[in-house]
Amino acid sequence: MTEGLRRFLKPAPRAKPGERCEMCTEPISEEHGHVIDLESRVIMCTCRGCYLLFTHSGAGGKRHRAVPQRYLHAPDFTQAAGVWESIGIPVRMAFLFRNSVLDKTVAFYPSPAGATESLLPMGAWEELLAANAEFATVSPDVEALLLNKLDNTFECFLVPIDICYELVGLVKLHWRGFDGGSEAWTAIDGFFAALRERSEVVSGG
């Protein structure tokens, strides 16, 4: 994994009491926006004003991008089965996104060691996007497709990229032993339950 990807896959920062915007130093609350520096792959906590400056592609000299707050959920995403098998993910979760700096699509899954990269076969990303017109609008760098394998099917979310970092951090914090343990799976199940509640339901593929 490149150094740039290692920085990009660090958990998204959370504001502490008294913390300030990392762009203009204005005070920010716990609920705040994030902006990605595409060259350094650093995620910055920002005030509302600075966040809005970078909500359009090409803003900030094409170096910075605001992380959007869009949540979509396909509860029965059958198209993921073939892609999942081709990727060879050893756990039930994975997220995929387009990295514009590397000019390629990458796939990662949460593990006790952090985000682990998995080889993405040619055509797999396009296959997922073709299964749902709304997923095809996923924004490079700042949004991801998050796949979750259930008992007999898959669900897919289109989420802000920092949500994927939250899942990675959660797994790293709670995972114990080979199978994770009850504490880890309680936390993971709670994460996806909350994600379903905040997401707009769309048709599956």
Side-chain angles (χ1 to χ4, degrees):
M1 186 187 302
T2 66
E3 183 61 28
L5 273 177
R6 289 193 183 94
R7 291 195 298 269
F8 189 49
L9 290 167
K10 290 180 180 179
R14 292 295 178 188
K16 299 176 181 178
E19 192 166 353
R20 295 179 176 273
C21 172
E22 293 182 79
M23 302 193 83
C24 75
T25 73
E26 284 293 314
I28 56 176
S29 63
E30 183 176 356
E31 295 299 323
H32 60 274
H34 291 140
V35 169
I36 290 180
D37 183 321
L38 298 181
E39 293 183 9
S40 67
R41 315 311 293 185
V42 169
I43 297 179
M44 296 174 285
C45 298
T46 59
C47 67
R48 185 63 176 170
C50 288
Y51 175 87
L52 291 175
L53 287 175
F54 304 105
T55 52
H56 301 289
S57 179
K62 298 184 179 181
R63 176 170 177 171
H64 298 94
R65 290 287 305 279
V67 179
Q69 294 296 306
R70 181 166 61 145
Y71 297 84
L72 303 179
H73 176 214
D76 187 12
F77 198 69
T78 57
Q79 191 66 41
V83 173
W84 191 268
E85 185 175 349
S86 68
I87 296 175
I89 300 294
V91 295
R92 79 176 209 193
M93 304 154 287
F95 60 96
L96 303 83
F97 63 95
R98 184 72 184 173
N99 186 309
S100 65
V101 173
L102 299 179
D103 192 27
K104 70 175 185 176
T105 303
V106 291
F108 290 87
Y109 61 89
S111 77
T116 301
E117 186 172 6
S118 184
L119 181 64
L120 189 63
M122 289 185 61
W125 176 249
E126 290 75 14
E127 188 176 344
L128 290 177
L129 298 187
N132 186 290
E134 294 190 76
F135 287 170
T137 65
V138 60
S139 297
D141 300 303
V142 292
E143 290 183 319
L145 296 185
L146 173 60
L147 300 174
N148 184 34
K149 188 178 186 298
L150 304 174
D151 289 338
N152 299 309
T153 187
F154 290 84
E155 61 182 345
C156 183
F157 299 86
L158 187 156
V159 295
I161 192 68
D162 52 6
I163 293 299
C164 299
Y165 304 156
E166 288 188 18
L167 178 59
V168 170
L170 184 150
V171 170
K172 188 173 182 179
L173 176 64
H174 295 287
W175 198 272
R176 299 291 183 273
F178 179 76
D179 63 356
S182 59
E183 180 181 341
W185 286 108
T186 296
I188 293 168
D189 289 341
F191 170 90
F192 279 104
L195 198 54
R196 294 183 196 106
E197 287 186 4
R198 72 190 305 178
S199 299
E200 175 187 351
V201 176
V202 297
S203 61

